[in-house]
Amino acid sequence: MSRPDFGPGSDEPGPIDVIAPDGRYAGTLETGTATLPDMPDAFGPDGLIAFIGADEFDVPVITVRRLPPAIRLESSKAARE
C-alpha cells in the first residue's frame, strides 16, 4: 500500500507499507527504497512479482521479476506450517 509523500491527495510517491496475504503488517519500504518502476500487478510465491503492460504495438506484455531476498515476505508454505 503506497502512501503519498506530501499528505493526502499528493501525486508524489511515498513510503510503501507491505501487508502479508493474511493481513499482518510486514514492514515499510521508505521512499526511494523500492527501485521498481511501478507497483506490481500480481504477487507470486518466493518473491515473484508480475507487471502487465503493452509494447509499442499495444501487444500485451507480462514481465515477471523476483524481489531481492531482503524485502521478500515469508513463503506461503512456511506461513501455513
Side-chain angles (χ1 to χ4, degrees):
M1 174 184 309
S2 180
R3 291 184 270 142
D5 207 18
F6 298 104
S10 172
D11 289 335
E12 295 297 319
I16 298 171
D17 293 323
V18 180
I19 310 296
D22 63 5
R24 72 182 159 80
Y25 172 76
T28 298
L29 299 174
E30 294 301 327
T31 304
T33 303
T35 58
L36 302 172
D38 295 307
M39 285 298 292
D41 291 294
F43 293 84
D46 301 321
L48 291 176
I49 54 175
F51 299 90
I52 301 171
D55 68 9
E56 65 272 14
F57 301 109
D58 280 338
V59 175
V61 175
I62 298 174
T63 304
V64 178
R65 297 183 180 169
R66 189 175 303 276
L67 291 170
I71 62 171
R72 290 183 201 170
L73 295 175
E74 297 174 12
S75 72
S76 57
K77 180 181 177 187
R80 287 190 303 257
E81 294 176 351

